[in-house]
Amino acid sequence: MWRLFLPLVTLGLTAAPLPRIEITHDDTVITQSCRVSIAAGRVLVDANTNGVIQIGADGITVEFAPGTELRGAPEDAAPDTLRGIGIRLEGHHHVTLKGLRVRGYFNGVVARRADQLLIDGGDISDNYRQHLRSTPQAEDGADWLFPHNNDQEKWRDQYGGAVCVEESREVILRSLRVRWGQNGLILDRVTDSRVYDNDASFLSGWGLALWRSSRNIISRNAFDFCVRGHSEGVYNRGQDSAGILCFEQCNDNVIVENSATHGGDCFFGFAGREALGEFWLEKERDRLRRETGKADVEALLQVPPEVARDFSARGCNRNLLIGNDFSYSPAHGIEMTFSEGNIFARNRLVENAICGVWGGYSSDTLIAENRLEGNGGLAYGLERGGVNMEHASGNQIRNNTFRNNKCAVHLWWDDDGQLLKSPGVVGNDRGVSGNLIAGNSFVVDPQNPFPSGPGAGKLVVLQLRDDGNGQVRDNSYIANTVRLTASNAVEFAVKPGIEPRREGVVPRYAIPKVQVLGRTRPIGARSELRGRSQILMDEWGPWDHAGPLVRLLAGGSGEQRWEVRGVKGLQAELLPGRARLQRVPGAGGSGEILKVTASPGVTPYEVQLRSGGWTKTLRGSLLVAPWTATFFPWTANCDPRTNLPAWRALATGPDAVPAAVGALDFNYGGRGPKHLGISEEVTRRGPGAEHFGMIARTKLPLPAGRWRLATLSDDGVRVKVGGRVLIENWNWHGPTPDEAIYEQTVPGDVEIEVEHFEIDGHAVLRFELSPVR
């Protein structure tokens, strides 16, 4: 039952002005209501990581004076070097914090066991964020977040947050602004609380993260562009970032009228490892090993009925997601898995790359009156399109509008191996049964959002693989003439006027009325930024489309390119050296591209950028070498991992195609050598996107000194210098950086050889050589 609570005020009386105190040192404990001031420019380091300002009493109000800023590091400090906590509160209740401005810490505010805390207004920006290794050219797997463990405050300690509230109830967070950080608001075991009118957007992790938090109202907040791991048209991964994250048994929350667009997932919900029974399984395996003396006990695992019943009630259950905008994600608009009894209603789910709603192993969910349009354009695997649910039962998909999704509704089962033995799965397993698809409008019209690429124009209405006990009825099929063949499921598409499996009685449904808090209207407020193409990442996170964006792009033959956006009156000065600078307009007239070129050899360069009071220095080294590269296909009997001599022999065989190139910088993505315009001959005869190899050689003059060799490869790579192997990562892997140091004792010519192979999927190969400074 919801409880109405308000901060305590004395009606009809004018509050006395708060006494003013100046914060001058770390470990300042505040035990009475006051107005805080801090000398302009002062840096207050949290040396012992327990908070510069510590709240030490119940029932007090601490207000920041206008212009006051609590800063933990100089403005030019790298975001991944920030440490400590700005404000710490533990074990005190009825505290009010107003007008906060906290910057330069690992965590801005940490409040634990702080019932009826009110944080009212303020800016908690420019705090910790990781340095991202993914680039516009290729993803780096090291950037993935891992939100599955947090019972020892791992989110706060590993990833940081602007505001972290733990083990508290009846909390209010309102009118807060968060930018230039990794995570916005973290609620860890927080219940019966209110979060509204906040704007935690353009972050590299999570806008709002909930852990074991229930019965909260999340209303009219902006959690847009909370994303990492995306480069439109190259890769769309999200890397478990999200506008709203909801993990480990978060129940009965109301999430209403929020804008959470352009997130890694817009909404990412997962029942949790405990809810699935992973910890129970670990203990059961240990018991069986002790009792049987066997190392492999998987065949002996059985889930007792009483254990299955216990875990069947766990999950992220009975949450209401109503009237939100969950669009333009690199992955999913809504992901809610292994959970039951949730309602997703009247949400906008447009152009999410994989699917609008992903509800694997979820049951008794109502998905009603949503707009699902253009989802699935960059999907892979079985997830693609509007609503996708694997091993899901008792769900109602009612009165939604589906328009031009890769597949409007896809329900299926498959053999998920050990996952099917988890208590949380066993306890809820009813097969793919009892699902209802009714009253929806399915539209496939000439405004096809997928005009090109694999599967262009192949839009599917229904793809069902179930036990035949579900219902599909009373739907409207408009302009759909698609027919399918498939190897992995029983599929059908519906022609106008045909209604499959119309039988039984359609139950009524109701969308609950919910309390909407807040005065802002975040939905549509950033309409000028609609579309995934507006997600532009640099090494620290998503561009906010307000300040400058400067990022290194893939270079062409013998050049490096920098993209500059959001800078007016840009001045670019190349410092003296052998490099050359060229400025050209960016794509579509957006910003500029700075091209740095040089003569053959290794040329360090430095470019000074200025605009008003803003400055930035670009530094790098350009390797220009006359490479002779040979591209060739390979087959299983010449696998480079098991038969290297046969693979190398293919480079001189009839299918090999040589080409002269000025740099080894091949951003293949899902393509092959013949698709990159390397040469007319490679385009005509070169290998395609899978099972290709390359061997490239060059000779260039190097001055004496230490040199850094760096590669980015997917899949295998080997680099030899002077006949000696210095880099070897000769296996299947995702985009992976490797480095080595080479010492040139005297000036002279050096021979370099690079070998690369690709198996399938994404591919990239980049080689760089730079002096060790």
Side-chain angles (χ1 to χ4, degrees):
M1 179 179 295
W2 290 103
R3 297 176 56 189
L4 179 64
F5 63 95
L6 297 170
L8 298 177
V9 296
T10 302
L11 298 178
L13 298 178
T14 301
L18 295 174
R20 191 180 185 110
I21 67 167
E22 183 172 355
I23 307 297
T24 60
H25 57 273
D26 186 18
D27 295 330
T28 297
V29 180
I30 297 178
T31 58
Q32 67 178 40
S33 295
C34 62
R35 173 172 282 194
V36 165
S37 65
I38 300 171
R42 182 186 293 275
V43 172
L44 294 171
V45 176
D46 181 20
N48 46 14
T49 67
N50 65 345
V52 172
I53 296 176
Q54 301 168 19
I55 305 301
D58 293 350
I60 65 173
T61 295
V62 177
E63 179 179 329
F64 272 37
T68 294
E69 178 178 276
L70 176 62
R71 175 170 282 281
E75 290 189 18
D76 60 353
D80 60 347
T81 65
L82 304 179
R83 297 292 180 266
I85 298 171
I87 299 174
R88 181 72 179 262
L89 187 165
E90 184 161 358
H92 294 289
H93 311 303
H94 303 283
V95 172
T96 296
L97 304 176
K98 299 184 68 174
L100 304 181
R101 188 175 177 86
V102 183
R103 297 174 180 269
Y105 294 94
F106 196 87
N107 293 287
V109 179
V110 174
R112 192 163 182 254
R113 297 195 299 274
D115 294 350
Q116 294 190 321
L117 168 69
L118 168 63
I119 304 182
D120 188 4
D123 192 322
I124 309 176
S125 299
D126 198 19
N127 290 293
Y128 174 83
R129 48 184 164 162
Q130 291 172 286
H131 184 262
L132 302 179
R133 297 172 63 174
S134 299
T135 68
Q137 294 77 51
E139 180 192 18
D140 191 309
D143 290 339
W144 277 81
L145 301 172
F146 190 77
H148 297 77
N149 295 323
N150 187 45
D151 276 325
Q152 287 76 46
E153 295 84 35
K154 286 186 178 292
W155 290 356
R156 183 233 296 172
D157 293 341
Q158 184 175 359
Y159 299 129
V163 177
C164 306
V165 183
E166 302 158 358
E167 298 182 50
S168 302
R169 60 192 302 270
E170 298 184 352
V171 172
I172 295 178
L173 306 179
R174 68 186 181 202
S175 302
L176 299 173
R177 182 179 186 271
V178 183
R179 293 287 190 279
W180 312 305
Q182 182 150 313
N183 299 314
L185 314 179
I186 294 178
L187 304 186
D188 178 350
R189 292 157 291 177
V190 172
T191 59
D192 304 298
S193 297
R194 313 287 190 269
V195 179
Y196 60 94
D197 280 347
N198 302 288
D199 187 349
S201 300
F202 302 101
L203 306 175
S204 64
W206 309 313
L208 170 69
L210 307 177
W211 175 268
R212 297 185 187 270
S213 294
S214 300
R215 302 186 304 279
N216 303 293
I217 295 180
I218 315 298
S219 176
R220 290 185 174 169
N221 303 281
F223 301 121
D224 300 318
F225 288 88
C226 296
V227 61
R228 60 208 275 142
H230 181 70
S231 180
E232 184 68 13
V234 181
Y235 59 90
N236 58 296
R237 305 286 282 163
Q239 298 175 333
D240 281 356
S241 57
I244 301 174
L245 183 81
C246 184
F247 260 51
E248 194 65 73
Q249 301 172 74
C250 298
N251 303 311
D252 302 296
N253 296 290
V254 175
I255 299 169
V256 57
E257 294 189 13
N258 301 279
S259 180
T261 66
H262 302 85
D265 286 318
C266 297
F267 178 95
F268 183 11
F270 171 62
R273 297 182 65 200
E274 181 187 81
L276 259 65
E278 289 187 16
F279 304 137
W280 182 90
L281 283 172
E282 290 173 6
K283 292 180 181 179
E284 184 68 3
R285 289 188 181 101
D286 289 341
R287 182 186 69 82
L288 291 171
R289 291 187 188 106
R290 289 194 306 269
E291 293 180 0
T292 65
K294 297 180 179 180
D296 185 0
V297 295
E298 295 304 309
L300 302 177
L301 282 173
Q302 298 291 331
V303 180
E306 63 275 13
V307 173
R309 283 193 298 272
D310 176 29
F311 280 94
S312 69
R314 307 188 190 189
C316 286
N317 302 330
R318 301 177 304 280
N319 298 286
L320 308 180
L321 279 60
I322 300 177
N324 305 281
D325 193 347
F326 297 135
S327 301
Y328 314 119
S329 168
H332 310 96
I334 297 173
E335 174 174 344
M336 181 71 93
T337 54
F338 302 95
S339 300
E340 61 183 28
N342 295 292
I343 295 178
F344 311 148
R346 299 172 184 154
N347 301 291
R348 181 177 184 267
L349 300 125
V350 175
E351 295 177 18
N352 295 290
I354 298 178
C355 60
V357 176
W358 165 230
Y361 287 87
S362 289
S363 58
D364 302 315
T365 300
L366 174 62
I367 303 172
E369 301 178 25
N370 301 284
R371 174 188 173 191
L372 298 106
E373 181 175 335
N375 297 290
L378 296 176
Y380 35 84
L382 293 177
E383 296 175 51
R384 79 268 189 269
V387 175
N388 297 254
M389 306 185 82
E390 173 192 11
H391 292 261
S393 60
N395 302 289
Q396 296 189 52
I397 302 171
R398 306 285 298 274
N399 293 87
N400 302 281
T401 299
F402 294 90
R403 190 181 194 91
N404 289 346
N405 300 280
K406 272 292 185 179
C407 178
V409 179
H410 185 191
L411 308 181
W412 79 95
W413 59 267
D414 54 10
D415 185 359
D416 279 337
Q418 294 301 320
L419 182 60
L420 297 174
K421 295 184 177 181
S422 301
V425 173
V426 173
N428 284 298
D429 185 18
R430 291 177 280 171
V432 184
S433 65
N435 298 295
L436 171 64
I437 304 171
N440 303 283
S441 175
F442 297 106
V443 181
V444 178
D445 65 20
Q447 299 300 315
N448 182 352
F450 316 114
S452 61
K458 296 179 181 178
L459 306 187
V460 183
V461 170
L462 300 176
Q463 180 179 351
L464 307 177
R465 185 183 206 181
D466 60 18
D467 65 0
N469 292 326
Q471 291 192 68
V472 180
R473 59 171 293 165
D474 301 329
N475 299 291
S476 173
Y477 306 96
I478 303 172
N480 177 48
T481 58
V482 180
R483 302 298 295 176
L484 288 183
T485 59
S487 59
N488 59 1
V490 178
E491 300 185 74
F492 67 87
V494 184
K495 288 187 176 181
I498 298 177
E499 285 282 353
R501 282 186 280 179
R502 177 172 180 148
E503 61 218 17
V505 177
V506 177
R508 294 183 178 180
Y509 73 89
I511 298 172
K513 293 184 178 180
V514 296
Q515 184 179 7
V516 181
L517 303 175
R519 298 179 179 179
T520 61
R521 295 291 190 276
I523 294 177
R526 296 188 169 110
S527 59
E528 74 280 5
L529 299 182
R530 287 179 174 176
R532 285 192 314 273
S533 62
Q534 300 293 338
I535 302 175
L536 299 172
M537 306 291 298
D538 66 12
E539 59 189 326
W540 298 107
W543 181 37
D544 64 1
H545 293 263
L549 170 72
V550 181
R551 60 178 186 166
L552 183 65
L553 302 178
S557 177
E559 69 177 25
Q560 285 188 353
R561 299 187 302 144
W562 294 84
E563 180 181 22
V564 183
R565 297 197 188 197
V567 179
K568 294 183 178 180
L570 177 66
Q571 301 177 42
E573 179 186 1
L574 179 66
L575 300 187
R578 294 187 297 118
R580 298 178 294 275
L581 176 64
Q582 180 184 8
R583 299 171 61 171
V584 298
S590 297
E592 288 191 57
I593 303 297
L594 307 182
K595 295 184 178 181
V596 182
T597 59
S599 302
V602 180
T603 304
Y605 67 85
E606 189 168 309
V607 181
Q608 186 74 43
L609 306 181
R610 293 187 181 87
S611 175
W614 175 81
T615 63
K616 186 175 181 66
T617 301
L618 311 180
R619 294 185 179 90
S621 291
L622 190 61
L623 169 63
V624 181
W627 293 92
T628 299
T630 302
F631 303 91
F632 51 91
W634 57 271
T635 56
N637 60 341
C638 298
D639 191 316
R641 298 165 295 178
T642 58
N643 193 349
L644 184 57
W647 181 84
R648 284 174 170 161
L650 295 174
T652 58
D655 294 326
V657 184
V661 296
L664 300 185
D665 191 352
F666 302 119
N667 179 30
Y668 296 107
R671 302 168 297 174
K674 71 181 305 175
H675 305 116
L676 296 193
I678 295 169
S679 72
E680 290 185 5
E681 189 69 5
V682 174
T683 299
R684 188 171 65 87
R685 294 202 303 118
E690 297 182 355
H691 293 88
F692 66 83
M694 182 209 73
I695 299 177
R697 299 180 178 89
T698 191
K699 179 184 288 188
L700 73 159
L702 275 187
R706 301 178 73 235
W707 298 85
R708 176 177 289 104
L709 292 80
T711 60
L712 180 69
S713 64
D714 177 349
D715 291 303
V717 68
R718 181 183 291 112
V719 178
K720 298 179 184 178
V721 180
R724 183 161 59 99
V725 175
L726 294 183
I727 292 177
E728 185 164 27
N729 191 354
W730 200 247
N731 54 38
W732 177 91
H733 54 257
T736 303
D738 291 287
E739 288 190 359
I741 300 298
Y742 168 73
E743 187 162 357
Q744 177 85 338
T745 55
V746 295
D749 289 346
V750 174
E751 291 186 352
I752 302 175
E753 179 182 270
V754 177
E755 297 177 312
H756 171 243
F757 72 83
E758 165 64 7
I759 300 176
D760 56 20
H762 187 279
V764 65
L765 185 280
R766 183 163 72 237
F767 173 79
E768 297 174 343
L769 181 67
S770 59
V772 177
R773 298 181 182 274

